[in-house]
Amino acid sequence: MTRTYSNRAWLLLIPALLVMGFVAALPLIAVFNYSFHDIFTLEQAFWIGPDWYREILSDPRFWGSLGRSALFSLIVLSVQVPLGIWLALLMLRMGRLAVPVLILLALPLVVPWNMIAGMWLTLINPEIGVLGKAMDASGIAFDYKFTALHTWILIVTVDTWHWLGLVVILSYAGLSAIPAPYRQAAAIDGASRLAVFRHIELPRIAGALSIVLLLRFVDSFMIYTEAFAINAGGPQDATTFVSLELGEDIKSFSYGRAAARAMLDFLIVLAVAWAFIRIRAGRSGTEGFGA
Amino acid sequence: MSAPGPGGAALRIVVFATLAVFVLLPFVQTILLSFTLTLPREGYRTGQFTLLNYIGIFEREDLRSAIANSLTYVTLNVLLCLAAGLPAAYAFARFRFTGDRHVLFALLAFRLTPPVVLSLPIFILFANVGLVNTPVGIALVHCAFNLPIAIWILESFIAAVPREFDESCFLDGQSLPGFFFKRLIPVIAPGIGVTIFFCFIFSWVEVVLARILTVTAGKPITMAINALFGFRTDIGLVMAMTVVSLLPGVAMIWLVRNHIARGFVIRT
């Protein structure tokens, strides 16, 4: 696909740039500015330089939540991405039957985020929940309130339930776009299923997988609504992620520190995304990915 | 690779049956409770089958208006994303220009910006220009994460249309707006559908920004559900309201079911 060079294309970007400037760029600059101030009210803000950053970076709690967020992302990605790709591979040969599976998997995506925790907590409630009653009857003591491991299991399960569909939809989209002759040629050559995946399918769904990895990384790294609703960071901070700490700062009206924390979180996310894109671009040797 | 044998078919049945149970269990629970009386009422016993929860939604003005508010801002958001996203996607699909890759990376960076990060200045900024408590404010702010996605999806669909198509339309004397509305949009209709789907679901389910932008009025459905929790929470009503909140999304899935698998890729 050749694209002509024309700077008049910028004119077509004007509406999008105006909207993004107002709702994304301007607020981001404002957060950056707040992060260097001690803010009592908007009229009473004092320049304090990088003090908030110094305070946050020397606080062991910050590093604790950062570690937990990174671990959570790692678990989420290593569960959902292989599982999602495997399901998409199974769906490949199902023809029209793949559509009902896609519909099924898309269902959790349309649930309002604050209700996801509510639905699951009801489900595992030993008094009214189907699963809760079943676990109670079979003697499984699942105590997500006070047992850290159980809280983690619940949050990872809920997050997988919520987002597996997105991984499958995008992987399936990439896989089903591969022309059949590629696989047939490999089959004639006697390639194993694993080899077909490694050398034929994986390179061709790399673009679709990149967006999956990036979206799942940010959304899990910055998980807030579900984690807060499930156990508000407990027990004893075992599930306090970076976004929950940020939420605490905002709720306690410590806006300067909240802004500095927000900037740090944003920079971490951006650095990971940038590194990821550089590695991808370097490996594929093309001008970008997904194209 | 050969066609799946009987073993393959059995594996698929087991895997997808397990998956269906896993995905549907919370929904089944929610739907069951939404038809159950959970708070004692005169003349009824708790635990019995009832339609009272659903009747309760239509009797409460706050819940009805919350549904209307959510539908309004989501629709506005989808329209905004299409209006701003289509020309931008066309620009990326057809032209190279100075700084194009920087704009694409900026779009990615904005999509990756967590809403919590922006919540504070967005509230102050929107309060200053009178966009708090209105559906317009929420519709605008959701563009921060939906517009990049809209551009990626539309771009991949436009790029799949051969260039010659544009040229023949312009040779026929179409103006640029005429070309967009009369020629391009019908050709990439599935892409528009997928865009509407993803913008719709991400805007419909978002909680953080929708909450901070509705202080006194214009509460979305998500906040109306939160407000139902209290001293004696009527779980049945909460679940009925949750079921209602799922319906538009389920309708969207049904509409795009055959095109959803085209998905989207990001360009940088």
Side-chain angles (χ1 to χ4, degrees):
Chain A
M1 183 82 219
T2 52
R3 284 173 285 132
T4 38
Y5 188 90
S6 164
N7 274 325
R8 285 177 61 198
W10 273 99
L11 295 176
L12 293 166
L13 291 186
I14 289 173
L17 293 179
L18 282 178
V19 172
M20 292 311 282
F22 185 66
V23 301
L26 214 54
L28 209 53
I29 295 167
V31 179
F32 186 62
N33 181 34
Y34 295 158
S35 71
F36 294 101
H37 287 84
D38 196 359
I39 299 171
F40 297 101
T41 65
L42 280 183
E43 288 74 38
Q44 279 185 293
F46 300 101
W47 174 266
I48 55 163
D51 277 9
W52 289 126
Y53 292 96
R54 224 172 275 144
E55 186 188 308
I56 294 167
L57 290 175
S58 60
D59 178 4
R61 275 200 74 202
F62 169 75
W63 295 101
S65 355
L66 186 63
R68 281 187 290 272
S69 285
L71 179 66
F72 181 70
S73 282
L74 192 72
I75 297 175
V76 157
L77 287 175
S78 51
V79 169
Q80 294 173 8
V81 173
L83 185 60
I85 295 176
W86 183 63
L87 288 173
L89 285 170
L90 283 183
M91 286 162 62
L92 262 189
R93 292 248 162 161
M94 290 170 40
R96 299 283 302 165
L97 275 178
V99 173
V101 180
L102 286 172
I103 293 176
L104 175 78
L105 281 161
L107 285 176
L109 292 174
V110 303
V111 184
W113 291 9
N114 57 340
M115 287 320 295
I116 288 178
M119 288 170 77
W120 274 88
L121 292 183
T122 314
L123 181 67
I124 61 166
N125 184 311
E127 271 148 37
I128 51 172
V130 178
L131 198 61
K133 281 181 198 161
M135 285 197 298
D136 209 32
S138 53
I140 301 171
F142 190 79
D143 180 16
Y144 70 92
K145 276 280 178 209
F146 298 104
T147 310
L149 180 66
H150 292 182
T151 315
W152 272 79
I153 292 175
L154 182 61
I155 299 181
V156 169
T157 308
V158 170
D159 191 82
T160 304
W161 178 81
H162 185 181
W163 288 110
L164 186 62
L166 188 73
V167 181
V168 175
I169 289 171
L170 296 182
S171 309
Y172 180 77
L175 286 169
S176 54
I178 301 173
Y182 283 90
R183 288 198 194 90
Q184 286 155 2
I188 292 165
D189 290 346
S192 70
R193 187 67 195 88
L194 197 65
V196 173
F197 178 71
R198 172 69 192 81
H199 296 290
I200 294 178
E201 290 169 331
L202 193 59
R204 294 191 140 248
I205 60 166
L209 271 187
S210 304
I211 183 73
V212 169
L213 283 170
L214 279 177
L215 287 181
R216 285 314 302 126
F217 164 69
V218 225
D219 291 340
S220 60
F221 188 74
M222 293 303 292
I223 184 171
Y224 180 81
T225 316
E226 295 101 317
F228 186 80
I230 285 175
N231 214 357
Q236 287 169 348
D237 279 351
T239 54
T240 300
F241 301 116
V242 284
S243 56
L244 270 73
E245 268 194 311
L246 177 57
E248 273 172 38
D249 272 355
I250 295 178
K251 279 179 202 152
S252 61
F253 303 104
S254 180
Y255 293 140
R257 194 169 63 196
R261 218 184 266 288
M263 274 325 284
L264 285 172
D265 295 345
F266 173 66
L267 288 176
I268 294 167
V269 166
L270 202 62
V272 172
W274 189 80
F276 181 78
I277 287 170
R278 296 312 308 162
I279 294 168
R280 279 270 312 134
R283 190 167 289 172
S284 61
T286 58
E287 64 169 52
F289 60 94
Chain B
M1 203 173 88
S2 58
L11 174 76
R12 276 177 180 74
I13 290 168
V14 171
V15 168
F16 290 112
T18 314
L19 188 70
V21 171
F22 175 60
V23 171
L24 291 177
L25 206 52
F27 289 108
V28 170
Q29 174 78 75
T30 304
I31 294 168
L32 279 180
L33 276 177
S34 76
F35 286 108
T36 308
L37 195 73
T38 52
L39 275 192
R41 259 194 218 217
E42 212 164 310
Y44 299 94
R45 26 187 197 90
T46 53
Q48 76 174 65
F49 173 86
T50 181
L51 289 173
L52 280 175
N53 297 322
Y54 287 94
I55 296 168
I57 294 175
F58 293 98
E59 280 171 353
R60 288 184 56 159
E61 208 278 321
D62 55 335
L63 297 184
R64 271 183 290 138
S65 66
I67 297 170
N69 288 336
S70 280
L71 286 173
T72 311
Y73 73 73
V74 171
T75 311
L76 275 176
N77 173 262
V78 167
L79 291 177
L80 261 171
C81 287
L82 283 177
L86 255 180
Y90 185 75
F92 287 121
R94 291 292 191 247
F95 302 104
R96 284 180 300 117
F97 45 91
T98 315
D100 51 357
R101 295 188 57 203
H102 297 102
V103 178
L104 282 166
F105 186 75
L107 285 178
L108 176 66
F110 289 139
R111 172 54 189 85
L112 299 184
T113 310
V116 199
V117 168
L118 297 179
S119 54
L120 177 63
I122 281 191
F123 177 76
I124 296 165
L125 181 68
F126 278 46
N128 276 324
V129 291
L131 283 173
V132 172
N133 298 334
T134 79
V136 182
I138 306 180
L140 256 178
V141 85
H142 284 176
C143 287
F145 47 84
N146 271 349
L147 191 50
I149 288 194
I151 293 176
W152 295 331
I153 300 173
L154 292 170
E155 197 266 349
S156 68
F157 277 88
I158 296 174
V161 178
R163 246 201 111 75
E164 291 71 33
F165 175 80
D166 305 18
E167 281 154 11
S168 72
C169 293
F170 289 126
L171 283 179
D172 288 349
Q174 287 282 355
S175 63
L176 193 63
F179 164 70
F180 268 107
F181 285 106
K182 290 194 196 126
R183 301 294 178 87
L184 190 63
I185 289 180
V187 171
I188 58 162
I192 307 260
V194 176
T195 310
I196 293 175
F197 172 73
F198 278 103
C199 290
F200 177 92
I201 61 165
F202 284 124
S203 176
W204 184 258
V205 299
E206 202 276 338
V207 178
V208 175
L209 294 170
R211 171 169 51 214
I212 64 149
L213 284 179
T214 50
V215 187
T216 53
K219 295 267 184 213
I221 199 164
T222 47
M223 290 306 107
I225 295 175
N226 268 6
L228 290 177
F229 287 92
F231 175 58
R232 282 173 80 225
T233 306
D234 189 350
I235 289 290
L237 181 65
V238 170
M239 291 301 156
M241 193 64 183
T242 305
V243 171
V244 170
S245 79
L246 299 176
L247 297 178
V250 173
M252 287 299 305
I253 295 176
W254 186 252
L255 283 178
V256 296
R257 66 189 182 283
N258 290 322
H259 301 292
I260 200 176
R262 279 286 300 276
F264 58 93
V265 288
I266 25 169
R267 279 198 47 220
T268 55

